[in-house]
Amino acid sequence: MDSGLNLAPLDIPAEPSWWPLPLSAWLILGAMAVLVLGWSLYRYLKGRLRRKALMLLDTLESEPNLPALDRLLRRVALTYYPRDQIAGLTGDAWLKWLDRQNATPLFLPLQSQWSAGLYRGQPIDPSDWDAFITASRSWIMQCQPEGR
């Protein structure tokens, strides 16, 4: 090697620091934060009806009121499903429709007690009322908007 060359030592620049972050990193972090917040808001608003219906069901649980329970189930059904599927259903057809939405039939086994309490105004046995509340809670929890 020729040592006759008079070369200066290399000046290596310092490594770039991690802080402060470049503008592109801030934009990516901001976009990710907006996506997470948007997804959280969507999930919250999506479950709002279900939470409200379950809260109303909890208020009905203490005192048997079958017409109010029937109205609550219809309100939830009309919110999730097209009106033409639900509006004309009464009696056994309504209970069969509710059971079609569930994996297991919950309302049809209670059909005679439901009809007697709702249409004939007969007093409701507490065990039957508990079964109505359980079936209604299960239906509300499993209820999904049509097409989703």
Side-chain angles (χ1 to χ4, degrees):
M1 285 213 162
D2 189 49
S3 62
L5 295 175
N6 202 5
L7 298 176
L10 293 176
D11 286 334
I12 299 175
E15 291 183 18
S17 68
W18 285 96
W19 198 260
L21 294 176
L23 179 63
S24 60
W26 284 111
L27 291 175
I28 291 171
L29 287 174
M32 288 173 46
V34 166
L35 286 174
V36 167
L37 287 174
W39 180 78
S40 298
L41 181 65
Y42 168 75
R43 296 287 296 172
Y44 173 77
L45 293 177
K46 183 179 174 187
R48 183 176 50 182
L49 171 69
R50 182 171 285 120
R51 284 190 304 275
K52 178 73 172 173
L54 290 172
M55 186 179 69
L56 290 172
L57 186 63
D58 288 340
T59 62
L60 289 174
E61 192 170 2
S62 61
E63 185 177 328
N65 187 352
L66 198 53
L69 179 62
D70 187 58
R71 282 192 304 271
L72 174 63
L73 291 175
R74 285 183 183 277
R75 284 173 53 192
V76 172
L78 285 170
T79 303
Y80 280 129
Y81 299 96
R83 185 174 208 77
D84 58 348
Q85 282 186 12
I86 295 139
L89 298 176
T90 58
D92 297 342
W94 168 240
L95 296 178
K96 287 177 186 174
W97 186 87
L98 286 172
D99 273 342
R100 273 198 311 253
Q101 312 308 317
N102 279 334
T104 58
L106 299 171
F107 291 96
L108 283 179
L110 305 169
Q111 183 175 11
S112 60
Q113 298 93 326
W114 185 277
S115 298
L118 187 62
Y119 299 116
R120 291 184 220 125
Q122 294 179 354
I124 301 167
D125 186 63
S127 63
D128 291 338
W129 181 247
D130 291 339
F132 292 152
I133 293 294
T134 302
S136 300
R137 182 171 279 113
S138 174
W139 184 80
I140 290 170
M141 292 298 292
Q142 293 178 12
C143 192
Q144 292 291 326
E146 190 168 81
R148 293 185 190 177

